[in-house]
Amino acid sequence: MRIITGKYKGRHFDIPRNFKARPTTDFAKENIFNVLTGYIDLEGATALDLFSGTGSISLELLSRGCSHIISVEADRDHHRFIMDCLRKLDPTLKGDDRHAQSAIPLGEVGRVLVPLRGDVFRFIKSCKQQFDFIFADPPYALKELPTIPGLIFEKGLLKDDGIFVFEHGKDQDFSNDPHFVEHRSYGSVNFSLFRTRGRASE
């Protein structure tokens, strides 16, 4: 797993062989972030990474200058791996992976990453914050997968000028969703992009 560009460009992290997480491929990640440059400036943006797995997207967002990132992952080992990656990027980082809401300052004023260990659906239900950018990469076989875009907009988690990227399998089609903008496919990886109703209709 590597960081594509930004402050930490080229940094590599070895994923343990026993991990169940399926990180977004470098090819797909690079291409979708190239698409995103036409939608949003990530420098200084607030971001939410749901089902963060190995933390590949969170680390990429960090490298690209997001000011505040919340990473939500239920698996204990995956969460610990994200924490370890952060410490490798900056050995001075503070954080305690025994606490679900340990905010980690990133060595720069105003930049924080919060690796949360917990259930994504509970987080969505209780979250009162809005974000400039949201990324979600649930397990493709998750039975609740089709409901996730609706939950994001029902709870108002995305700002009016924000963008939501949803990674899913080839069998899902969200083109009839009122917030849908476009679909991109890179090999076996599929992304659907969404915006708020007002922006999507422009």
Side-chain angles (χ1 to χ4, degrees):
M1 182 180 83
R2 70 182 177 93
I3 296 177
I4 303 298
T5 196
K7 179 178 179 180
Y8 301 112
K9 178 180 178 180
R11 294 292 297 271
H12 285 75
F13 304 92
D14 294 324
I15 301 173
R17 292 179 179 272
N18 62 338
F19 267 27
K20 297 175 290 184
R22 169 194 39 77
T24 303
T25 65
D26 287 346
F27 174 73
K29 182 167 65 172
E30 182 170 10
N31 277 280
I32 195 62
F33 273 98
N34 286 340
V35 171
L36 287 172
T37 59
Y39 285 98
I40 186 173
D41 181 2
L42 292 172
E43 183 68 36
T46 56
L48 174 64
D49 181 15
L50 300 173
F51 304 95
S52 52
T54 61
S56 173
I57 298 299
S58 289
L59 295 174
E60 190 71 35
L61 293 170
L62 167 60
S63 184
R64 290 171 185 255
C66 285
S67 63
H68 188 94
I69 307 160
I70 294 180
S71 171
V72 185
E73 171 55 43
D75 186 276
R76 179 187 60 187
D77 293 333
H78 298 169
H79 176 262
R80 183 180 296 119
F81 178 77
I82 297 172
M83 301 285 288
D84 290 342
C85 289
L86 287 170
R87 295 191 182 103
K88 288 177 182 177
L89 289 177
D90 185 347
T92 67
L93 295 180
K94 304 296 182 182
D96 186 345
D97 57 9
R98 292 174 300 176
H99 298 285
Q101 300 194 32
S102 52
I104 301 183
L106 303 174
E108 300 177 27
V109 176
R111 299 186 66 211
V112 174
L113 190 145
V114 185
L116 299 183
R117 181 186 165 206
D119 180 78
V120 164
F121 294 98
R122 290 182 181 178
F123 174 86
I124 292 175
K125 183 177 180 179
S126 62
C127 182
K128 305 301 181 184
Q129 186 175 347
Q130 287 190 314
F131 301 89
D132 299 301
F133 178 73
I134 300 175
F135 187 95
D137 178 15
Y140 289 178
L142 184 71
K143 66 178 182 179
E144 298 92 348
L145 184 149
T147 70
I148 294 171
L151 290 174
I152 295 294
F153 290 99
E154 177 185 334
K155 297 300 180 181
L157 299 187
L158 191 67
K159 293 182 181 179
D160 286 346
D161 57 350
I163 188 81
F164 167 42
V165 176
F166 190 42
E167 183 175 339
H168 55 83
K170 64 180 181 180
D171 295 329
Q172 281 82 36
D173 179 5
F174 296 94
S175 59
N176 290 325
D177 188 288
H179 306 285
F180 177 83
V181 177
E182 66 169 299
H183 170 263
R184 296 287 178 128
S185 177
Y186 306 103
S188 62
V189 181
N190 290 261
F191 298 102
S192 289
L193 280 66
F194 304 82
R195 303 195 88 160
T196 57
R197 186 184 300 272
R199 301 289 298 190
S201 62
E202 293 178 0

